[in-house]
Amino acid sequence: MRSLSEGLHAKLTLADTQGTLCEAIAFQCAARLRWTPTPGPVRLVYGLGLNRYNGRESVQMIVERVVAGR
């Protein structure tokens, strides 16, 4: 997890149950999601988005809601 914009947002690297990694971003973690990212299992509701940064494009998950741990 990497904190962005002075802790407002979090850039996450997530792994599924088979260990496949993907990138995600959680905007307004505390205010909108009422969540403080910590290492460990979590269940998320997300949408897909296109990340454009430094001339590169990649697919990323955009966290919409945190459901619960495990």
Side-chain angles (χ1 to χ4, degrees):
M1 197 252 343
R2 187 172 52 137
S3 179
L4 304 174
S5 297
E6 298 180 19
L8 288 177
H9 316 306
K11 182 74 171 175
L12 309 164
T13 300
L14 305 174
D16 66 14
T17 55
Q18 281 101 31
T20 303
L21 299 178
C22 62
E23 297 295 313
I25 187 128
F27 293 110
Q28 301 278 325
C29 294
R32 187 175 64 85
L33 299 174
R34 294 177 180 80
W35 177 57
T36 301
T38 56
V42 65
R43 295 179 68 194
L44 304 171
V45 175
Y46 62 89
L48 294 178
L50 186 60
N51 180 25
R52 292 186 178 111
Y53 184 74
N54 278 344
R56 293 182 163 162
E57 292 184 344
S58 60
V59 175
Q60 72 178 353
M61 294 171 23
I62 300 171
V63 178
E64 301 294 336
R65 191 166 44 120
V66 178
V67 179
R70 286 196 162 230

